[in-house]
Each structure stands twice: as C-alpha cells, then as structure tokens.
C-alpha cells in the first residue's frame, strides 16, 4: 500500500487532534480532582470544628452579621443553611445562576443580575470561583462578600 504525502498529513493531523483532545480532558479532570480535594479539606475542617463543639455561626456573630445571603445553591449551601438554622443568623435569600435549582433549601433565590435586597453579608459557597463571583456582586451590593472557605477556616 502506497502512502501519499496527503495521506500522511491526514493521519498525523488525526493523531495530533486525538492527543490534544485527551490532554484537554486530562487537564479538566485534574482541575476537578483539585476542586474535590479542596472540598474534602474544607468539609473535614468543618466537621472537626463541630466535634470541638464550635459552630460557624460564631464567625457571623463575631462579625456582627445577623442577616446573610448565600451565593450558590448546591450542597455546601445546604450544609451552611442546616448549620445556621439552629442559630441567631438569618438567611435572607439565596443567589444562583439557576433560580429553579432543585437542591436549594432556601425559599427566595435571585439571579446574580437581579436587584438584590439589602443584607449584612453574602457568603459565596463555590469558593473556587470566588474572585470572579465577587467581581460580579461588587457591582450590585455594598455589603461584604465572603468566601465560605474564609468562614470555615476562621472558626
């Protein structure tokens, strides 16, 4: 079988595309693993503080935040909501790009683009995206915008 230059270019192009597709997928999986590892470390510390008899509500009370909003309505927001349900800290509302999110346990959920009601602080639960979320929210509100990571590691 005779290979022409054209056939060789096609084969090499296909191999190059396959290589870079796999590399992109591997890089994406590595980033996901890093995020999950960060979640594990955060949740482990959170659990340690609970076993020590501490509550993260202490952070909010010490900072004078009696009313908060939570950005991100996934699992970490639910854990935060559960822990604060037994405290004096009131969760006024949630913020999410998907206001119909099925896992949200907060009744009032706003889009980040909406006019957001006044609150003492906004807690960002997807802390790996904190900086970009903070930039968006800073244009909408004047209250402190705090990463859940900061809250947990401060207790």
């Amino acid at each position: 079988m005779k290979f022409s230059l054209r056939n060789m270019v096609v084969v090499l192009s296909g191999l190059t595309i396959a290589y870079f597709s796999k590399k992109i997928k591997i890089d994406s999986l590595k980033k996901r693993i890093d995020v999950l590892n960060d979640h594990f470390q955060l949740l482990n510390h959170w659990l340690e503080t609970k076993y020590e008899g501490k509550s993260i509500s202490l952070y909010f009370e010490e900072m004078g935040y009696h009313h908060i909003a939570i950005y991100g309505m996934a699992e970490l927001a639910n854990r935060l909501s559960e822990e604060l349900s037994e405290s004096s800290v009131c969760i006024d509302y949630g913020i999410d790009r998907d206001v119909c999110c099925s896992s949200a346990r907060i009744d009032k959920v706003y889009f980040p683009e909406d006019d957001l009601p006044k609150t003492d602080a906004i807690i960002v639960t997807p802390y790996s995206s904190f900086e970009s979320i903070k930039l968006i929210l800073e244009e909408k509100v004047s209250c402190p915008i705090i990463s859940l990571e900061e809250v947990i590691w401060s207790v």
Side-chain angles (χ1 to χ4, degrees):
M1 182 173 194
K2 186 176 177 183
F3 278 102
S4 69
L5 182 57
R6 181 175 179 230
N7 287 345
M8 287 175 60
V9 168
V10 168
V11 169
L12 287 175
S13 296
L15 290 173
T16 303
I17 291 169
Y19 170 78
F20 284 111
S21 288
K22 283 194 180 266
K23 181 161 177 27
I24 290 169
K25 186 172 185 174
I26 288 170
D27 289 347
S28 174
L29 289 171
K30 284 180 181 177
K31 286 179 185 174
R32 182 71 180 140
I33 288 169
D34 289 344
V35 168
L36 291 173
N37 184 51
D38 288 347
H39 274 34
F40 170 78
Q41 297 299 329
L42 182 88
L43 289 168
N44 186 55
H45 182 72
W46 194 344
L47 193 57
E48 285 175 342
T49 62
K50 286 187 75 73
Y51 281 129
E52 293 170 357
K54 300 176 188 172
S55 170
I56 60 172
S57 64
L58 180 65
Y59 172 89
F60 298 110
E61 292 163 2
E62 287 178 352
M63 298 298 287
Y65 303 144
H66 304 287
H67 291 267
I68 65 165
I70 300 176
Y71 183 103
M73 296 290 96
E75 293 82 8
L76 292 175
N78 289 336
R79 300 299 80 76
L80 178 59
S81 177
E82 290 163 358
E83 180 151 340
L84 295 178
S85 69
E86 300 173 9
S87 76
S88 64
V89 179
C90 177
I91 300 171
D92 295 333
Y93 59 90
I95 308 165
D96 202 290
R97 291 178 295 171
D98 177 13
V99 296
C100 299
C101 44
S102 60
S103 64
R105 296 192 181 151
I106 297 173
D107 294 331
K108 290 186 260 175
V109 180
Y110 295 89
F111 286 112
E113 300 82 22
D114 289 343
D115 287 332
L116 301 173
K118 187 174 182 189
T119 191
D120 295 336
I122 297 175
I123 311 308
V124 177
T125 60
Y127 55 89
S128 61
S129 302
F130 175 71
E131 292 302 325
S132 59
I133 293 168
K134 183 178 181 183
L135 286 174
I136 293 166
L137 293 176
E138 282 178 329
E139 295 182 12
K140 308 283 300 170
V141 298
S142 59
C143 66
I145 302 162
I146 304 160
S147 168
L148 178 64
E149 184 177 39
E150 179 182 331
V151 174
I152 300 299
W153 289 102
S154 295
V155 176

